[in-house]
Amino acid sequence: MELAYIPSPSSGAIHIGPLPLRGYAFCIIIGVFVAVWYGNKRWIARGGKAGTVADIAVWAVPFGLVGGRLYHVITDYQLYFSDGKNWVDAFKIWEGGLGIWGAISLGAVGAWIGCRRRGIPLPAWADALAPAIALAQAIGRWGNWFNQELYGKPTDLPWALKISEGPNREAGLYHPTFLYESLWCIGVAVLVVWADRRFRLGHGRVFALYVAGYCAGRAWIEYMRVDEAHHVLGLRLNVWTAIIVFVLAVAYLVVSARVRPGREEIVEPDRPGARSGDGDGKPSLSKDASSDPSGDASGNGDKKTGAAGTDGSTGSADTERPKGAGGSSGAQPSGASRGPAEADAGT
């Protein structure tokens, strides 16, 4: 007797007025927004600038979506290219099918391009985004619930997931592996935030911890699934992938801690070519103008030069100058009685 279970949606679409929105796509979109929002808060807390995370996400998200879909299509090619299948379905991303391994790998390429354009070290940016990505995965996994896919083995537990009859699936009660992974990702996010605060991780070690933590959970959750998958030495392909990536992430943690201990002091330096000074964008006085002892920016130095011709220290050319036709030699200002060459020299 079925006393309790988790029901599955009767439809994989959410209707907003007359417009249908696929539940899978809706969860992915919400996950991206949460990741950018929380990642931005962590980036600012580490000394970065507001808006930088969103600017780099413009590169990372499209690359990640393409990478995730490519990984799914390549590893599950029989779903699209075998007899009786339509290869056009490989482009229907809204029907589900994103491989996290491809999404993270190609998404990192997009993030690297965005970071390079901003002059930001990719490891520092990845450290800020690590727990945000885990939360995005936790939200995105509910898209599998809408599609009634990627469930586990049959079970009679109170939290069993009820699956209805449909293409490539049989009605029954199964382990809700989507829920297991969603909760695991939340736990990984909490672990990463705690470890980052406790040990002040840097240089990509926060991201490596996230990867290792996720892979540890993905391995046993993947083992529970019953959907069609390729097997290598008796294990599903994604189990092997999780094991290999876990080892690489742990190795990076150990080596990086020895080679580059501590955390980056500056995560987002000013762009090249920026003026130095007070930091308020106002240009400072030039060195020549501020250090010239003969005057200031208003041209007082020229006044001093002109005054020199009116005191008692004028040169012999002034004292031996013949009288003008209209009066004595002292009746005219010194500047007016100079020759053209001397007047040019005083300006």
Side-chain angles (χ1 to χ4, degrees):
M1 180 179 180
E2 299 176 0
L3 298 178
Y5 58 83
I6 301 174
S8 293
S10 57
S11 173
I14 300 173
H15 291 273
I16 304 177
L19 301 176
L21 176 62
R22 298 288 301 186
Y24 186 89
F26 180 75
C27 292
I28 296 298
I29 293 172
I30 295 299
V32 169
F33 273 99
V34 169
V36 172
W37 168 77
Y38 185 48
N40 183 66
K41 290 176 65 68
R42 283 180 50 82
W43 181 250
I44 294 175
R46 292 201 56 181
K49 300 177 182 178
T52 297
V53 168
D55 292 343
I56 298 176
V58 170
W59 291 91
V61 172
F63 273 73
L65 291 175
V66 172
R69 189 60 176 178
L70 282 175
Y71 181 89
H72 167 72
V73 172
I74 292 173
T75 56
D76 292 312
Y77 62 88
Q78 71 281 356
L79 300 177
Y80 308 99
F81 302 104
S82 59
D83 294 338
K85 302 295 182 179
N86 187 357
W87 63 271
V88 178
D89 293 340
F91 297 95
K92 298 179 179 179
I93 190 174
W94 57 87
E95 294 184 354
L98 288 175
I100 186 62
W101 316 112
I104 294 296
S105 299
L106 205 56
V109 175
W112 176 80
I113 295 174
C115 287
R116 186 174 178 85
R117 290 168 59 89
R118 295 294 295 261
I120 295 172
L122 176 60
W125 188 84
D127 283 347
L129 266 290
I133 295 174
L135 292 178
Q137 289 179 253
I139 297 172
R141 271 306 174 196
W142 285 85
N144 302 132
W145 176 63
F146 279 99
N147 288 350
Q148 298 194 46
E149 60 185 0
L150 307 185
Y151 43 85
K153 300 174 182 178
T155 183
D156 57 357
L157 293 171
W159 56 84
L161 176 65
K162 188 174 184 178
I163 298 295
S164 61
E165 189 72 25
N168 302 320
R169 66 173 186 255
E170 297 180 0
L173 296 175
Y174 301 89
H175 277 284
T177 51
F178 85 91
L179 179 59
Y180 297 161
E181 186 166 336
S182 180
L183 295 175
W184 183 270
C185 287
I186 294 175
V188 169
V190 173
L191 170 67
V192 168
V193 171
W194 171 82
D196 189 24
R197 292 177 178 177
R198 174 65 176 81
F199 302 105
R200 293 186 56 83
L201 303 175
H203 301 288
R205 289 189 289 277
V206 180
F207 187 81
L209 179 61
Y210 144 73
V211 172
Y214 172 75
C215 290
R218 179 61 185 269
W220 67 267
I221 295 172
E222 182 75 22
Y223 185 76
M224 296 177 64
R225 284 167 43 174
V226 294
D227 54 297
E228 185 178 358
H230 296 286
H231 287 71
V232 178
L233 300 177
L235 293 177
R236 293 166 65 95
L237 177 61
N238 281 333
V239 174
W240 282 111
T241 304
I243 293 174
I244 294 173
V245 175
F246 173 83
V247 173
L248 293 176
V250 172
Y252 180 88
L253 275 169
V254 175
V255 175
S256 176
R258 294 180 178 179
V259 175
R260 304 189 69 183
R263 175 188 286 185
E264 301 92 338
E265 294 295 332
I266 300 177
V267 297
E268 188 170 2
D270 292 333
R271 293 186 180 181
R275 296 181 64 94
S276 59
D278 298 334
D280 56 0
K282 298 179 181 179
S284 58
L285 293 176
S286 65
K287 180 178 180 181
D288 294 338
S290 61
S291 61
D292 185 5
S294 64
D296 55 20
S298 60
N300 292 336
D302 292 338
K303 295 179 181 179
K304 294 181 180 180
T305 305
T310 62
D311 57 17
S313 59
T314 53
S316 60
D318 291 332
T319 58
E320 297 178 0
R321 186 174 56 250
K323 296 182 179 180
S328 64
S329 60
Q332 296 181 359
S334 61
S337 61
R338 292 180 182 178
E342 290 179 300
D344 290 343
T347 60

